[in-house]
Amino acid sequence: MHELSMAESLIGILVDEARNHGIVSIKKVKLQVGELAAVVPDSLTFCFELVSRDTIAEGAVLEIENVPIVAHCDRCDLTFKIQDSVFQCPRCEEPVFELLSGRELSVTSIEGETGE
Ligand SMILES: [Zn+2]
């Protein structure tokens, strides 16, 4: 299950980040997920609830923001969004190999309580 391994690596990132910022209990996490990562948000949330048990991220709310796949055509210098997995320039029909975004799984913010 794709989302389960993702949720596990996410916990690893969160625990490290929280420790760096003195957070003892994570309440809310904002994530950016590229469309190419093919994550089902409900499924990721479900897996996250499973793997976060007994960690400092237990009960944290995930806010998932989808990032569209954006590509650039070298031939006509057009930047455009990829839709329906068509990796081709809509203007000159050149195949596209350069993707500017769409693969990311990144944590953009963590809210929580510090131990003070
Ligand atoms: Zn083009």
Side-chain angles (χ1 to χ4, degrees), residues 73 75-78 89 91-94:
C73 176
R75 192 159 134 196
C76 69
D77 203 30
L78 182 70
C89 176
R91 189 192 283 165
C92 69
E93 300 189 342
E94 183 83 353

Side-chain angles (χ1 to χ4, degrees), residues 19-30:
R19 198 175 289 146
N20 289 341
H21 294 93
I23 293 171
V24 293
S25 173
I26 299 173
K27 299 294 177 203
K28 192 158 130 188
V29 179
K30 287 187 184 169

